[in-house]
Amino acid sequence: QVQLVESGGGLVQAGGSLRLSCAVSVRAFSRYAIAWFRQAPGKEREFVAAISSSAGGTYYGDSVKDRFTIYRDNTKDTVYLQMNSLKPEDTADYYCAARYCSGAYCVYRGQSNYDYWGQGTQVTVSS
């Protein structure tokens, strides 16, 4: 059973920062690719960032590139999303998702590739 628990959301002013955490309860955490997605009210869920299993290659959505950083701590079975220079349009529910990698390395952008999801954490950026 794989469980993901997000935390760190909240209310912040535009230009501020937040760090989201995704704690994953699973064996062999380092074999999992982890991604963050977000969904704003009335909008489709969109890709934010992903980090690969093993070597930790990272990928970002165009709207967050150069502002957000995803990284993982395999000693804590946790993935973080550092969000800087936040904008009102970053307001959304943020979800982390996990996918086991049968090979040495994998990472995906598409949400259909992920098998396990957290419940989400809300981020609100005020103008």
Side-chain angles (χ1 to χ4, degrees):
Q1 184 77 3
V2 181
Q3 292 186 321
L4 294 85
V5 178
E6 302 96 334
S7 62
L11 173 64
V12 63
Q13 288 189 329
S17 298
L18 281 175
R19 189 181 75 163
L20 304 184
S21 299
C22 174
V24 185
S25 298
V26 70
R27 282 189 173 186
F29 170 73
S30 62
R31 296 294 302 270
Y32 283 77
I34 308 292
W36 286 95
F37 295 85
R38 68 186 183 186
Q39 187 166 21
K43 294 190 176 182
E44 298 283 321
R45 188 174 294 184
E46 69 168 330
F47 171 76
V48 175
I51 188 163
S52 69
S53 59
S54 64
T58 58
Y59 299 89
Y60 296 93
D62 290 340
S63 62
V64 306
K65 206 173 294 184
D66 299 326
R67 298 189 298 123
F68 290 11
T69 302
I70 187 171
Y71 60 101
R72 65 192 299 157
D73 184 342
N74 288 342
T75 67
K76 296 182 178 180
D77 293 356
T78 300
V79 168
Y80 302 94
L81 184 69
Q82 178 65 44
M83 307 187 295
N84 298 330
S85 302
L86 282 161
K87 305 175 181 180
E89 50 264 45
D90 294 317
T91 295
D93 291 325
Y94 284 71
Y95 300 88
C96 62
R99 159 77 180 256
Y100 177 75
C101 300
S102 56
Y105 176 95
C106 77
V107 63
Y108 304 93
R109 295 175 183 259
Q111 54 184 304
S112 62
N113 295 118
Y114 291 88
D115 302 308
Y116 307 99
W117 291 79
Q119 294 299 305
T121 187
Q122 189 172 56
V123 172
T124 302
V125 184
S126 64
S127 57

